[in-house]
Amino acid sequence: MSEAEVERIGKALADPRRRELLEIVAKNPGLPCGELVARLGVSQPTISHHVGLLFEAELLDGVRDGKSTRLSARKDTISSYLSEISSRLAI
């Protein structure tokens, strides 16, 4: 994993709201994006902003389903990131 990827993922995970969002999606694969508004109690634009940053970090995938997008966590990226951090910290 490149330094740029580690940094991009680290920045995406630095925000508590994004970590919470990722945790919800990881536990509920295929969750419609709109459902996050109700679960997190924030506006749709706020959800869209956070989802966009998680997409850029390749931590989320989405599949269009009509007007909605069903989200799932990119377990491959998450696993690679955790392995990279463990290796760098000699854990």
Side-chain angles (χ1 to χ4, degrees):
M1 178 170 276
S2 73
E3 184 62 31
E5 290 170 311
V6 170
E7 192 170 315
R8 186 174 57 244
I9 293 169
K11 285 181 179 179
L13 294 175
D15 184 272
R17 181 72 69 190
R18 282 193 289 276
R19 287 194 308 272
E20 182 181 13
L21 190 154
L22 182 60
E23 183 178 336
I24 290 168
V25 172
K27 292 178 180 177
N28 300 278
L31 185 73
C33 192
E35 204 169 302
L36 289 169
V37 173
R39 288 191 184 207
L40 295 173
V42 296
S43 69
Q44 180 61 49
T46 299
I47 293 294
S48 294
H49 170 73
H50 289 306
V51 166
L53 292 173
L54 291 169
F55 267 107
E56 285 177 20
E58 298 181 17
L59 293 168
L60 287 181
D61 265 339
V63 176
R64 293 290 293 165
D65 183 15
K67 291 184 178 184
S68 183
T69 300
R70 295 192 170 272
L71 301 171
S72 58
R74 292 273 315 261
K75 294 181 180 181
D76 58 331
T77 302
I78 295 166
S79 180
S80 294
Y81 178 73
L82 293 174
S83 292
E84 183 68 24
I85 294 300
S86 292
S87 174
R88 289 180 183 213
L89 298 177
I91 296 174

